[in-house]
Amino acid sequence: MLRYSAHLPLGAIGAEGQQCIQQAHIALVGIGGIGCAVAQYLVSCGIGKLTLCDFDTVSESNLARQILYRREDVGRLKTEAAIDYLHELNPQTRLQSIDRRMNDEEMSALFPTCELVVDASDNYGTRLSANRNCIEHKVPWIMASCIRMEGQIMLLRPDLPANACYRCAYGIAPDTLEDCPGAGIFAPVAGICGTSAAHFALAHLAGHKVPSGLHLFDASHWQWQPLKIGKNSNCRDCS
Ligand SMILES: [Zn+2]
């Protein structure tokens, strides 16, 4: 417990909250720029079990922002390289991986075993699949994404049916958004979004209130803007 002793005096976390963290299972979808930062904090803080989901291999252009990977990892599966790093970081966390693109059936098998899902993938299609499967199994999840100098983060609570879902917030967006490498991404912005998602995840597990709504980060002007998202009564995923 010495490792986590700085959490114990915190009213928002404390021994009880830390115990909840150490008993929880999180599925992390995507271990790119955001996912690496999320995983690092979840594991360093002693999350009980972490399932890493990513089908990709490490490339040199990942190394500036995907901080779990070293030069020697180029060409390896991200899941394997990440597990090596995270096991060294804190062997108390149980780690497992799924090294292919998950379909609905696999999400539907994995998510009910989790207290929380974090989607740090880089595409709208995966986020919508996560949305549908989290609604089906009433599993809370965190959406975190970034591009250029901007980021977005939201805790979604399908276990509270009056709350908006991801499609309520994004129902009119196209099915494909610009990809990060093409549009560019400033490396620390991915880290800020990832550590923010880790904060939301750990605070939620510890029973601390996490701000609702969609939070937009603009690194150019260094501003966070909260947006209230209302439930769409015609939403085809949650209504
Ligand atoms: Zn909805």
Side-chain angles (χ1 to χ4, degrees):
M1 209 60 171
L2 190 58
R3 181 185 183 104
Y4 313 114
S5 57
H7 284 175
L8 306 186
L10 303 176
I13 310 293
E16 215 172 300
Q18 181 61 38
Q19 200 175 13
C20 293
I21 290 168
Q22 288 172 243
Q23 288 170 349
H25 176 200
I26 289 188
L28 173 60
V29 182
I31 34 174
I34 291 179
C36 281
V38 173
Q40 201 173 32
Y41 273 95
L42 294 181
V43 171
S44 69
C45 292
I47 193 79
K49 183 177 175 184
L50 181 64
T51 299
L52 302 163
C53 315
D54 203 303
F55 59 89
D56 208 1
T57 53
V58 179
S59 68
E60 192 172 347
S61 65
N62 298 151
L63 299 179
R65 65 188 179 284
Q66 302 188 17
I67 52 170
L68 301 184
Y69 314 127
R70 303 158 305 159
R71 274 190 310 145
E72 296 76 29
D73 293 322
V74 170
R76 295 182 74 197
L77 278 170
K78 287 184 177 179
T79 47
E80 285 179 11
I83 282 180
D84 284 352
Y85 179 102
L86 294 168
H87 183 72
E88 282 293 314
L89 181 62
N90 186 357
Q92 289 173 352
T93 292
R94 284 175 293 141
L95 297 163
Q96 70 175 25
S97 65
I98 296 176
D99 55 10
R100 57 190 174 275
R101 200 188 286 273
M102 276 194 296
N103 57 28
D104 276 339
E105 200 178 320
E106 286 171 306
M107 285 189 184
S108 194
L110 174 65
F111 291 178
T113 68
C114 301
E115 274 69 35
L116 183 76
V117 172
V118 178
D119 185 296
S121 67
D122 61 358
N123 69 87
Y124 191 64
T126 302
R127 286 194 282 274
L128 280 175
S129 299
N131 187 54
R132 282 194 306 274
N133 286 289
C134 286
I135 290 171
E136 187 182 340
H137 300 288
K138 299 186 171 58
V139 180
W141 69 289
I142 291 167
M143 181 283 300
S145 66
C146 62
I147 197 163
R148 294 180 292 262
M149 292 271 190
E150 298 143 34
Q152 304 188 348
I153 178 170
M154 184 174 184
L155 170 66
L156 294 121
R157 295 292 305 270
D159 52 322
L160 306 174
N163 284 26
C165 83
Y166 181 72
R167 190 182 282 280
C168 293
Y170 287 89
I172 53 168
D175 270 357
T176 48
L177 296 177
E178 296 172 273
D179 64 335
C180 282
I185 172 72
F186 189 43
V189 173
I192 290 162
C193 294
T195 49
S196 302
H199 170 88
F200 273 32
L202 294 166
H204 170 74
L205 292 173
H208 185 55
K209 188 166 165 44
V210 172
S212 63
L214 175 65
H215 298 265
L216 305 178
F217 178 57
D218 171 4
S220 299
H221 302 94
W222 205 257
Q223 284 175 340
W224 280 98
Q225 183 192 2
L227 289 181
K228 291 243 171 298
I229 305 290
K231 192 176 177 79
N232 172 3
S233 56
N234 296 316
C235 176
R236 69 172 192 250
D237 282 356
C238 73
S239 290

